[in-house]
Each structure stands twice: as C-alpha cells, then as structure tokens.
Amino acid sequence: MKFVNVSTDQMEKFEGKWVAIDSKKDLIIAVGDTLEEIAPLVSGSVKDKDKIKASAYLVPRKDEGPYVL
C-alpha cells in the first residue's frame, strides 16, 4: 500500500488499482494492487463505523466499464 494525498479528480492515474477514498475530504488517501492492501483503512465493524477512514474503489482501466461489487 502506498499512502497518497491526491484529489479524486486525478483518479485516472491509478487505473487498475484499488484506492481508499476519504469522502469527507474528497481525497484518495491510499493506493494498492489488492483490496487486502488497503483493508486496514476501509474495514471495520458496524459499531465502530465512525472509525472507518475511507471507502474502497477499484479504478477501471480506460477499456473497461465501471466495476459493480
């Protein structure tokens, strides 16, 4: 996992990668090759949902459509 501090406007830089997005600040905060790499930032229990720092998103490549999980 690589920590970054990049606006979501620049998401195309991370094609084919998993990104952790802080929706409150509209920033990409981390990038990884797998979901497991960014899991510490995007997972948690329902009772601790306020402690979850980001949401996960797999950035599609130019020749792919959006992913639906």
Side-chain angles (χ1 to χ4, degrees):
M1 171 174 54
K2 177 181 177 184
F3 288 99
V4 295
N5 193 16
V6 178
S7 171
T8 54
D9 294 339
Q10 300 178 28
M11 197 174 295
E12 68 277 353
K13 291 180 177 181
F14 307 108
E15 291 179 356
K17 304 279 185 181
W18 282 93
V19 294
I21 299 175
D22 181 341
S23 56
K24 292 178 184 176
K25 297 179 182 176
D26 201 27
L27 292 173
I28 299 169
I29 59 172
V31 180
D33 291 326
T34 64
L35 179 57
E36 290 79 22
E37 286 183 45
I38 63 169
L41 299 174
V42 300
S43 61
S45 66
V46 174
K47 65 180 180 173
D48 295 328
K49 66 182 177 183
D50 58 327
K51 294 181 181 177
I52 298 173
K53 297 179 179 142
S55 56
Y57 183 72
L58 179 57
V59 181
R61 293 181 175 90
K62 288 183 182 183
D63 59 342
E64 298 173 330
Y67 295 110
V68 179
L69 302 176

